[in-house]
Amino acid sequence: MSLNASVARQTLLAQALGWVDKQSDSLGPSIHPATSFLRDPADLHRASRTYRRDDNPTFLQAEVLLATLEGGEGCLLFSSGMAAATAVMSMLSPGAHVVVSTRLYSGLRNWLFSHGRRWGIDISEADYEDVHGLRAILEARPAQIVWIETPANPLWHVSDIRAITELAHECGALVVADNTVSTPILTRPLEHGVDVVLHSGSKYLNGHADVVAGALIVGPRRAELLQRLADIRNDYGAVLGPFEAWLLLRGMRTLELRMNAICRNAFEIACFLQEHERVVEVLYPGLASHPGHVLSRKQMQGGFGGMLSFRVKGGEEVSRRLAASTKVIRQAISFGGLETVIEIRRGMEGPESRTPPDLLRLSVGTEAVKDLIADLSQALSA
Ligand code: PLP
């Protein structure tokens, strides 16, 4: 039995679709570690579960919940966000053309320019704020994939999902949107026409910084595309463990509550930083001063997310001291957890990084915002 799809999103999330484990009647989801499943002895070719690399009952509830949140045909969990991204790239043949923004998660950029290039993928980088420039690139050479990430890590550039998707479709490309930072609570890229949504489940979906996972959600009526990606997951083997799938689902049950709290905290912190005399720049789509603010108001509902970056007077050395002198906020990589973390971003991105060396990135958590502001305040005056 499951909840009627007309209930509010928060109800679907709180009850993880309202599924009840048939064997135990448990309201909490069960974990199935089995690698192998009973076949129908009368018809071995009947479609059913066979082996955990293709399929596992523990995936199902998280996959259906995520597909419902994004409004998609279906969802596939992967062993990481990168595994999900490279599964999409695995659909390509040598000579394929992929277009990405000049503002792209560094891990994917590094993959494209090392492994992707070696596979024969041709990559174009475009300024996604200049849709005419993007059109010129796509008209000069058809692309198989146009990749959108918005807001984009770590400067939080905002791309116009609908305009870029329409243009990419006109030119025959498949559009993939990395929705890790917005989450389906704030943005639903499939509603803007995108073909595939990607998540690093290691961030907000899990929300407790204790799982590495990834997911792909395909748009409505795209069963064939879903099957192609499922075959790739099976053939390449980047499957999530059942315990991780269970943790991911457990985390998702509080996704909306966490995102609401995180968005409120992030906005207050961004306003505080913007007013501070030692801060020279704050990058947060929720601030009117952010170049993507107007677009964000259209594309993001209910808040502007929990990620922001800032720069302080005095440059890199002062930034380093600041990151080292916060006490409540810890210095660490990654984002989307309950705890607020700070990092000097460039050092994490490798030698090709285009990120300013003094840029401080904050992943805002759910702590009391007065404690976070007091901590930043003391670090700024240290
Ligand atoms: N997409 C974005 C925006 C990310 O920030 C990350 C990781 O930091 C990934 C994808 C990759 O996810 P994972 O670390 O789960 O492989």
Side-chain angles (χ1 to χ4, degrees), residues 22-183:
K22 279 194 190 127
Q23 220 164 18
S24 64
D25 284 340
S26 72
L27 297 182
S30 306
I31 303 181
H32 299 273
T35 52
S36 183
F37 301 89
L38 190 66
R39 310 297 305 276
D40 178 351
D43 180 5
L44 290 179
H45 297 294
R46 190 174 66 91
S48 60
R49 283 198 175 91
T50 54
Y51 185 54
R52 198 218 280 166
R53 181 149 45 74
D54 320 63
D55 191 7
N56 182 276
T58 319
F59 297 169
L60 195 60
Q61 199 165 349
E63 288 180 338
V64 175
L65 181 57
L66 204 38
T68 309
L69 290 179
E70 290 285 6
E73 173 78 26
C75 165
L76 294 164
L77 297 184
F78 285 83
S79 53
S80 66
M82 279 305 295
T86 54
V88 173
M89 300 300 173
S90 304
M91 291 195 294
L92 302 175
S93 303
H97 182 207
V98 173
V99 178
V100 295
S101 166
T102 47
R103 310 294 175 182
L104 179 71
Y105 162 57
S106 59
L108 181 60
R109 186 174 188 281
N110 294 342
W111 184 90
L112 280 167
F113 282 96
S114 52
H115 308 287
R117 266 217 176 129
R118 194 164 40 77
W119 281 11
I121 297 176
D122 190 15
I123 306 137
S124 295
E125 293 182 281
D127 174 358
Y128 277 20
E129 280 160 52
D130 171 15
V131 179
H132 297 294
L134 181 59
R135 177 179 286 280
I137 291 177
L138 288 170
E139 285 180 350
R141 171 139 188 241
Q144 279 64 47
I145 290 179
V146 170
W147 193 278
I148 300 174
E149 179 191 327
T150 187
N153 201 354
L155 301 174
W156 319 115
H157 277 87
V158 181
S159 301
D160 187 330
I161 305 175
R162 188 175 296 278
I164 292 170
T165 301
E166 279 174 5
L167 171 59
H169 282 168
E170 252 179 67
C171 301
L174 187 88
V175 181
V176 183
D178 183 334
N179 201 27
T180 302
V181 170
S182 275
T183 82

